[in-house]
Amino acid sequence: GQQVMQIPQYQHVQEGEDFTTYCNSSTTLSNIQWYKQRPGGHPVFLIQLVKSGEVKKQKRLTFQFGEAKKNSSLHITATQTTDVGTYFCAGFANFGNEKLTFGTGTRLTIIP
Amino acid sequence: SAVISQKPSRDICQRGTSLTIQCQVDSQVTMMFWYRQQPGQSLTLIATANQGSEATYESGFVIDKFPISRPNLTFSTLTVSNMSPEDSSIYLCSVEATKTTDTQYFGPGTRLTVL
């Protein structure tokens, strides 16, 4: 079945440093979505990428979808304490499977 | 955006008992989803609940263990039956954000501990 892996599993950064999480799918995706889950909270939708090679920005967050539509990345510039949480990518396989498969997640902690 | 509530928010249960989790949405939605999130882990889809039809279960999840009801377009329940400590998890319901996208809104979750 479809597998979506993320690296790293954990990341500890000093406040102000940059952070990147990488998402890799075993199958081609029709789109990639990113969610953020704060400690003790529930996943909150951040963004969706659909096109091959697409890049989108939300303030300090930059999202990329790979050319082959099998990988994606989330980059945060100058992290802040509000960025703490676990970041999940999620995607639908390109062969019509309607199940949204979540990645393994990257837990970000910020050292003030 | 849809507002989703879940009841209970948390519970501690004895093994062998059952717990029914309720999910209420403030607008009508076609598809509702139930996920399990074990401590420190990712989300795993249990089943998709469509109004007017039987729920569709993912591999590893069966109706006898996780019966689901979907009586209308704003409400669903998930029952965790004959619980064991391995069922200790957060259970989340979600809905599609809109009919034209496949992004999802999540409820606050139900934190279940089975002793």
Side-chain angles (χ1 to χ4, degrees):
Chain A
Q2 181 188 13
Q3 294 185 350
V4 183
M5 306 296 292
Q6 287 181 248
I7 55 171
Q9 186 176 3
Y10 302 97
Q11 186 77 60
H12 313 283
V13 300
Q14 289 280 152
E15 186 175 9
E17 291 183 341
D18 293 355
F19 159 77
T20 304
T21 172
Y22 298 92
C23 172
N24 294 285
S25 170
S26 59
T27 60
T28 303
L29 301 171
S30 59
N31 65 68
I32 192 80
Q33 303 171 27
W34 284 91
Y35 292 79
K36 176 183 178 180
Q37 185 175 25
R38 294 181 183 273
H42 58 276
V44 174
F45 171 73
L46 293 177
I47 207 161
Q48 181 182 48
L49 303 170
V50 179
K51 300 176 182 177
S52 170
E54 188 172 11
V55 178
K56 286 189 176 180
K57 292 190 175 184
Q58 285 182 350
K59 296 183 180 178
R60 294 178 295 104
L61 279 62
T62 301
F63 304 84
Q64 290 188 322
F65 198 10
E67 293 290 341
K69 301 184 78 172
K70 293 183 70 174
N71 56 68
S72 181
S73 65
L74 159 60
H75 179 82
I76 302 178
T77 304
T79 54
Q80 300 175 359
T81 55
T82 53
D83 296 324
V84 165
T86 301
Y87 292 85
F88 292 100
C89 62
F92 287 93
N94 214 16
F95 47 78
N97 184 340
E98 293 191 6
K99 168 186 172 182
L100 184 62
T101 300
F102 279 78
T104 49
T106 296
R107 181 179 297 179
L108 172 65
T109 56
I110 307 289
I111 305 166
Chain B
S1 64
V3 177
I4 305 170
S5 60
Q6 284 186 235
K7 291 181 181 179
S9 58
R10 59 178 63 228
D11 207 341
I12 301 173
C13 301
Q14 297 296 321
R15 69 169 65 214
T17 62
S18 297
L19 176 71
T20 295
I21 302 167
Q22 299 178 5
C23 179
Q24 179 76 53
V25 191
D26 68 343
S27 57
Q28 294 184 339
V29 293
T30 303
M31 299 177 75
M32 295 180 76
F33 307 91
W34 287 99
Y35 288 85
R36 182 174 72 184
Q37 185 176 31
Q38 295 179 311
Q41 302 296 311
S42 184
L43 287 80
T44 301
L45 182 63
I46 298 172
T48 301
N50 294 329
Q51 195 269 337
S53 63
E54 294 286 328
T56 303
Y57 289 84
E58 296 300 313
S59 176
F61 299 96
V62 295
I63 188 171
D64 290 346
K65 175 68 176 178
F66 297 101
I68 287 171
S69 77
R70 183 77 200 274
N72 57 54
L73 291 174
T74 62
F75 187 79
S76 178
T77 67
L78 169 75
T79 299
V80 186
S81 303
N82 189 24
M83 289 183 285
S84 67
E86 293 70 34
D87 294 320
S88 297
S89 282
I90 298 172
Y91 292 86
L92 296 141
C93 69
S94 74
V95 304
E96 287 186 321
T98 71
K99 291 183 180 180
T100 57
T101 72
D102 47 29
T103 61
Q104 295 182 14
Y105 292 125
F106 283 83
T110 295
R111 184 179 296 271
L112 171 61
T113 302
V114 184
L115 303 177

